[in-house]
Amino acid sequence: RMIVMSLALALATGSAAAQTISGPVRVIDGDTIAIEGAEDNVRLNYIDAPEKDQSCENARGSLYQCGRAASDALRQMIPAGTQVTCTVEGRDGYDRYLALCKAGDTDINGSMVASGWALEYVRYSDGRYEAFEEQARAAGRGLWQGSFVRHRRWQHADHLLELLREQANQTGCFDQPIQTESLREASGNKCLSQSVRIWKDAEENPT
């Protein structure tokens, strides 16, 4: 059960070495795994799953824990102890490995997008999983069953929430705390409509 690591050195091309990490897996969240014996966690490259504590809306408009559902979907795909092999392509800002991972012949990264529980990270993916995402969207699978805020926008939601609260304090528009999940409902309040409009624009036009 020891980790197997190999370095494939480029010969005359001068390109970076390709690193392969293999071993039993444990799921951290919808796009992050730990491989036994690996120095750091592995971030599934070119995809983006919701935050672990993120909420989304289902087809009925009810909130559900989509971050938890994405993590569960990945655990179902690769249960704890499953042997996986990851080709490392770099590191992210949290010093995790960025990698393309497989369990046998299954492309884990692509399968998460195909299931609808992760999105293609279009800024870096160069359309790698575009077809998978289109199929998941058309079929209403995973996140596409309802509405959601893309992970990157969700991470910035707290900043907007503070802005909304600040406006509420200044204007007296709201008597109760505003929750991130309530931003849609907050759009009906004329005092906050401008901020909510900015948030919705960011949601509908992600970078």
Side-chain angles (χ1 to χ4, degrees), residues 160-176:
L160 179 59
L161 184 55
E162 288 304 314
L163 174 62
L164 293 176
R165 285 174 174 160
E166 181 179 344
Q167 287 192 353
N169 290 335
Q170 291 175 351
T171 62
C173 293
F174 275 85
D175 296 326
Q176 298 180 354

Side-chain angles (χ1 to χ4, degrees), residues 55-74:
S55 298
C56 301
E57 290 182 4
N58 61 24
R60 299 183 300 277
S62 300
L63 291 175
Y64 73 99
Q65 297 296 315
C66 55
R68 186 180 304 167
S71 300
D72 290 344
L74 186 54

Side-chain angles (χ1 to χ4, degrees), residues 57 160-161 163-165 167-168 173-174 176-197 199-200:
E57 290 182 4
L160 179 59
L161 184 55
L163 174 62
L164 293 176
R165 285 174 174 160
Q167 287 192 353
C173 293
F174 275 85
Q176 298 180 354
I178 308 165
Q179 301 300 321
T180 303
E181 294 86 352
S182 303
L183 291 177
R184 292 179 188 278
E185 289 74 12
S187 63
N189 187 296
K190 62 181 180 180
C191 300
L192 303 181
S193 60
Q194 182 176 2
S195 294
V196 174
R197 196 158 53 244
W199 179 80
K200 284 187 173 181

